[in-house]
Amino acid sequence: MAYYGKCIETVIEQLDKFTPKRDNPEQFLEAAATSLQALSPQKQSFVLEVLSGCLEYRKLLTVVVDAFYVEDGRLCLRVDHSRFEVICYLATFLLEELGFQLFCNIIKSQPVDKMCKFLRFFFNPLHLCSWIKDEWSLIYEPAHVKENWIDPLMRWQPEVQELINHLEGVSASQSSPLKTKAKVTEPKEFNLTAPRPRTIPAPEPVPVVAKPRPQVPQSTYQPPKEQQQLETVKRYNRRKAEELLLRANIEELRCAMPRSCRERVQGSKQQLRLQFPPRIRKTPKLTFYRPDNILVKLNTTAILREGALYQRQVEQELQRVDKLVDGAGDFSEFFEWQKKMQAKDREEQLAASECRRLQGKLSHEEAVLARQSLMQENKQRVEQQKEQMAKLMLQRAERRLREDRSRKELVEQVIEGQKNAKAAQTKLAKGRQQTVQEAIEESRGLLQRRAQAAQEEQRRRCELISQLRALETQPTRKGKLVDLTQIPGYGLEGEMSIVELRERLALLKENQRRKEEEKRDQIIQGKHTKSQELQNMVEQISLCRAAMGRSAALRWEEKKALAAAPAAPSQDERVQQLRRRISERAAERSRQAALLHVSAPRTARPKPRAQLEAQHWLELERSRERRLQALQQGGSGPGPARRLEAA
């Protein structure tokens, strides 16, 4: 039994090394044959045969062993998975060939309790005729499974049952305690001092837990602070715009002055340029304060760009005033004509916007009609698809019948090919063993030649090392005297000693440091001059911006008054034609909806008054921002000189 136990242990060891996802069965068998060269030929052939069979029928064996672990083998170790696979293979495929007596010897060489559990589970008639047969029939042909595997196992079931009973008796005899004739030692208690009773500890004080905060904070039900700040900013801006409008209405037309006041205007202009604060060190920033204390700063480039723009506008306005004083023509007729043309353009814009709105409505009606026609086309297409699907299902059923016939023929061919597989495997194993033996002899010769070459190389290295050590033992002169004041004397032009070179380098560094200080003083002086110019320009920009804000507020109020006036109904021919087409499309849509039983789309709900007012104020804010941007970029309006005078 020890002989069979060693063979089975060898097979189990090789199976544990096999990994299905990584190893190829054929290559694994070749490697196993190489590693088993030390065994006897009879033992080697038995191990290889069992190992190849376990690899070939691994799916069948895994089904039985996994089910055993789920039901009866819950307490068994996963390390014995390969052991149960080998026993299952021997009982299913080699029981007739080995004989029952040899099979019993193999079973007795293994752990008794594990074999008893597994054989009772595997040879259970209920298991063999029910789920084991069904699971194996999913992998191989049902008739082949029943004839070649299930029926032989059922015939051997009585003998195996006797073997199981014998194994249970052996296990019970091994587990019974051995009777001993010697006197049993009786333990005695130690004479120890009785411990003192422990004192009852004082109860720990209950910690006072802080009262938890409510889950939902109170701030959830309060309006956000940002909304209040926005409302405050809106009220402040509106009040400021009204004040600017009132001041502009009171102080308008102050720029029109007689020729005698021309010198005074020029003097005020020079005074504006001269009255600035003293010089500052840092580059100034143009700062504006909002109601919410937010600073808006401009860099140097923005200050210079905006200052040049305002200076150019002031010069243009002064030139225009000079021309008016000298007797230039009045532009009142031009302004009236301009207003008429603007009103005409406004009417055209209103008509164009009405046309766009009506075109959108017309496109909506046409889209509804197109959607209704598309629904009708989809119904027809669905009916056609159903007819085509019925035809395809019939074709699919016929194709499946043909595939089933071809699959059965292929299974029969595979079964015939498997019958001759064992003879081919044995022949292949013998040829591979011979090839492996030849390769081992060749590798042994190569190793001997390589060892001789390594010995020769080691001897040559030892000789070189001895020569190098002999050279290292020879005495050498160390150290050399160097005079830093001596010239090398190579005959080069400008040759000098190291001391002289160091002195010249020190002089060069001193000159370079002096030049850097002079350049730094010049840069600081230039910064001071530039900061003074920027401060002057900041004051001028502040005055110009204040004047532009007042003029923009005045124009905004005028446009607001024009927008508040009721608009007359449009009499444009395009508008009338679009309205007629919309009414025709609506009537056609209602007729089409009645035919298709489709409900008409719901009309848009009117928006609440608060939402309309909020939208109106949002549009006013956007238009104001666009006007301010246009003014900053040099748009139309009163000149800078007039704004400065009004300020």
Side-chain angles (χ1 to χ4, degrees):
M1 287 190 288
Y3 175 79
Y4 300 115
K6 291 181 181 179
C7 294
I8 297 300
E9 291 296 333
T10 306
V11 176
I12 293 170
E13 183 181 355
Q14 295 296 328
L15 273 180
D16 291 337
K17 296 179 182 179
F18 179 72
T19 305
K21 295 182 180 179
R22 185 185 61 190
D23 298 335
N24 188 9
E26 296 181 357
Q27 296 178 358
F28 182 76
L29 287 173
E30 293 178 3
T34 306
S35 62
L36 298 175
Q37 292 292 332
L39 300 178
S40 61
Q42 184 179 2
K43 190 174 181 179
Q44 184 179 359
S45 62
F46 176 75
V47 170
L48 288 176
E49 182 179 359
V50 176
L51 182 60
S52 62
C54 291
L55 294 178
E56 182 179 359
Y57 298 103
R58 188 178 182 84
K59 293 183 179 180
L60 300 179
L61 305 178
T62 305
V63 169
V64 178
V65 176
D66 290 345
F68 169 71
Y69 273 105
V70 173
E71 292 187 10
D72 296 343
R74 297 187 184 91
L75 301 179
C76 296
L77 299 177
R78 284 286 175 179
V79 181
D80 297 326
H81 193 280
S82 300
R83 187 185 306 277
F84 294 137
E85 286 184 356
V86 172
I87 299 301
C88 183
Y89 173 75
L90 293 176
T92 307
F93 298 96
L94 297 181
L95 187 55
E96 298 283 348
E97 183 178 351
L98 294 175
F100 187 73
Q101 186 62 36
L102 185 57
F103 179 74
C104 291
N105 295 336
I106 293 173
I107 294 298
K108 291 177 182 179
S109 65
Q110 302 300 316
V112 178
D113 53 347
K114 297 178 182 178
M115 293 296 103
C116 186
K117 285 183 181 180
F118 182 73
L119 291 176
R120 188 188 303 112
F121 171 79
F122 182 53
F123 281 92
N124 190 351
L126 182 61
H127 294 169
L128 287 172
C129 297
S130 59
W131 62 268
I132 293 179
K133 178 181 177 183
D134 297 338
E135 292 293 335
W136 286 0
S137 298
L138 295 176
I139 303 173
Y140 291 94
E141 191 69 23
H144 178 75
V145 170
K146 185 176 184 304
E147 181 181 355
N148 295 331
W149 298 331
I150 300 298
D151 292 344
L153 290 174
M154 291 298 296
R155 287 196 302 269
W156 286 104
Q157 202 272 337
E159 289 82 355
V160 175
Q161 188 64 35
E162 294 179 0
L163 176 62
I164 293 171
N165 296 332
H166 175 70
L167 293 176
E168 287 178 353
V170 173
S171 177
S173 63
Q174 290 179 357
S175 61
S176 62
L178 299 176
K179 296 181 180 180
T180 58
K181 297 180 180 180
K183 187 178 180 180
V184 180
T185 304
E186 296 180 359
K188 294 182 179 180
E189 296 183 359
F190 291 101
N191 187 13
L192 300 176
T193 305
R196 294 180 180 179
R198 294 185 180 180
T199 58
I200 300 174
E204 296 182 358
V206 179
V208 179
V209 183
K211 187 177 180 181
R213 296 179 61 185
Q215 295 182 357
V216 181
Q218 192 64 25
S219 59
T220 306
Y221 307 102
Q222 297 176 359
K225 295 181 180 180
E226 290 78 4
Q227 188 174 359
Q228 298 178 2
Q229 292 178 359
L230 289 174
E231 294 294 336
T232 305
V233 171
K234 286 182 181 179
R235 288 196 298 271
Y236 178 81
N237 290 339
R238 185 172 182 81
R239 186 168 62 254
K240 187 175 180 181
E242 291 176 355
E243 292 176 359
L244 292 175
L245 176 62
L246 181 61
R247 188 181 300 173
N249 291 334
I250 294 173
E251 298 178 357
E252 65 178 349
L253 300 179
R254 283 188 60 185
C255 64
M257 61 184 70
R259 190 177 182 83
S260 59
C261 299
R262 181 176 179 182
E263 297 177 358
R264 197 187 333 174
V265 171
Q266 294 178 355
S268 63
K269 180 179 177 182
Q270 294 176 0
Q271 187 177 3
L272 286 174
R273 292 184 179 179
L274 293 176
Q275 292 179 358
F276 288 101
R279 179 178 300 175
I280 58 176
R281 289 185 178 275
K282 296 183 179 180
T283 303
K285 300 283 186 177
L286 182 58
T287 306
F288 297 96
Y289 292 91
R290 293 185 178 179
D292 50 358
N293 297 327
I294 298 175
L295 297 178
V296 180
K297 296 183 179 181
L298 299 177
N299 55 11
T300 304
T301 306
I303 292 172
L304 293 174
R305 189 187 297 114
E306 195 168 0
L309 174 65
Y310 289 150
Q311 186 67 26
R312 187 165 59 253
Q313 291 179 358
V314 168
E315 292 176 358
Q316 292 176 1
E317 187 66 20
L318 289 176
Q319 291 177 4
R320 189 180 68 82
V321 171
D322 292 342
K323 290 180 181 179
L324 288 174
V325 172
D326 291 339
D330 191 7
F331 293 98
S332 58
E333 296 179 359
F334 171 74
F335 288 151
E336 292 178 0
W337 174 82
Q338 188 178 16
K339 287 181 179 179
K340 292 179 182 179
M341 297 303 294
Q342 288 177 355
K344 187 176 179 181
D345 293 342
R346 195 179 302 111
E347 291 178 359
E348 291 180 356
Q349 290 177 0
L350 291 174
S353 64
E354 183 68 17
C355 287
R356 286 194 296 270
R357 187 183 69 82
L358 294 175
Q359 286 176 358
K361 193 172 181 181
L362 178 61
S363 63
H364 173 70
E365 296 291 341
E366 291 178 350
V368 172
L369 287 173
R371 185 165 58 252
Q372 291 175 355
S373 61
L374 182 62
M375 290 172 60
Q376 190 172 2
E377 292 177 0
N378 288 338
K379 287 182 180 179
Q380 298 176 359
R381 194 177 295 110
V382 166
E383 293 177 358
Q384 295 177 0
Q385 290 290 339
K386 287 181 179 179
E387 295 176 358
Q388 294 178 1
M389 185 60 67
K391 295 179 181 178
L392 291 175
M393 291 298 290
L394 291 174
Q395 295 176 2
R396 182 182 178 186
E398 295 176 357
R399 187 171 64 254
R400 279 190 174 181
L401 291 174
R402 291 194 298 269
E403 290 178 355
D404 291 340
R405 295 194 197 98
S406 61
R407 195 179 294 111
K408 288 182 179 179
E409 294 176 357
L410 182 61
V411 168
E412 293 176 357
Q413 295 175 2
V414 170
I415 292 171
E416 292 177 359
Q418 287 179 353
K419 293 180 180 178
N420 301 324
K422 289 187 178 180
Q425 287 178 358
T426 307
K427 185 177 180 180
L428 180 62
K430 291 180 180 179
R432 287 174 179 172
Q433 289 176 6
Q434 186 177 359
T435 305
V436 168
Q437 189 67 26
E438 294 176 358
I440 290 172
E441 293 177 358
E442 291 180 0
S443 62
R444 189 181 294 112
L446 289 174
L447 288 174
Q448 291 177 358
R449 290 194 294 272
R450 192 175 298 170
Q452 294 176 1
Q455 290 177 0
E456 184 68 23
E457 182 69 19
Q458 185 68 19
R459 186 183 59 76
R460 188 177 60 80
R461 287 181 180 179
C462 291
E463 293 178 357
L464 289 175
I465 290 170
S466 60
Q467 293 176 5
L468 291 173
R469 287 180 179 175
L471 291 174
E472 289 176 356
T473 55
Q474 294 180 0
T476 56
R477 180 179 295 177
K478 298 180 180 179
K480 185 178 181 181
L481 298 176
V482 179
D483 188 5
L484 300 179
T485 59
Q486 184 179 2
I487 298 174
Y490 295 121
L492 302 176
E493 185 177 358
E495 197 172 12
M496 65 184 72
S497 63
I498 295 176
V499 176
E500 186 179 358
L501 179 63
R502 290 176 180 174
E503 291 179 356
R504 291 194 179 188
L505 287 175
L507 291 175
L508 288 175
K509 288 181 180 179
E510 184 66 23
N511 293 334
Q512 186 176 3
R513 185 182 60 78
R514 192 182 302 108
K515 290 180 181 179
E516 288 179 356
E517 290 180 356
E518 293 176 358
K519 190 173 182 180
R520 190 179 296 109
D521 294 338
Q522 293 177 3
I523 291 171
I524 292 171
Q525 187 66 24
K527 286 184 177 180
H528 289 174
T529 306
K530 187 176 181 181
S531 64
Q532 181 64 31
E533 294 176 356
L534 289 175
Q535 184 64 26
N536 299 340
M537 197 169 293
V538 164
E539 296 293 336
Q540 185 179 359
I541 288 172
S542 300
L543 295 174
C544 293
R545 282 196 173 187
M548 288 177 65
R550 289 191 293 272
S551 62
L554 179 60
R555 290 196 303 274
W556 177 70
E557 290 294 337
E558 291 177 357
K559 189 165 184 181
K560 182 180 177 182
L562 290 175
S570 178
Q571 301 295 331
D572 196 352
E573 295 181 359
R574 294 178 297 172
V575 176
Q576 298 296 333
Q577 186 178 1
L578 287 172
R579 287 176 180 172
R580 287 195 300 270
R581 291 179 63 185
I582 289 171
S583 61
E584 293 174 359
R585 290 288 186 273
E588 185 177 355
R589 177 174 55 80
S590 61
R591 290 194 300 271
Q592 191 73 15
L595 292 175
L596 294 175
H597 301 285
V598 178
S599 60
R602 294 180 295 179
T603 57
R605 297 180 180 178
K607 296 183 179 179
R609 183 177 181 82
Q611 188 176 1
L612 292 174
E613 290 180 358
Q615 186 176 2
H616 174 67
W617 283 111
L618 183 61
E619 292 179 356
L620 289 178
E621 291 291 338
R622 290 176 180 173
S623 63
R624 184 190 303 170
E625 291 176 359
R626 288 196 295 270
R627 293 191 190 96
L628 289 176
Q629 291 177 0
L631 289 172
Q632 290 178 1
Q633 293 176 2
S636 60
R642 180 178 177 183
R643 301 189 195 103
L644 289 173
E645 187 63 27

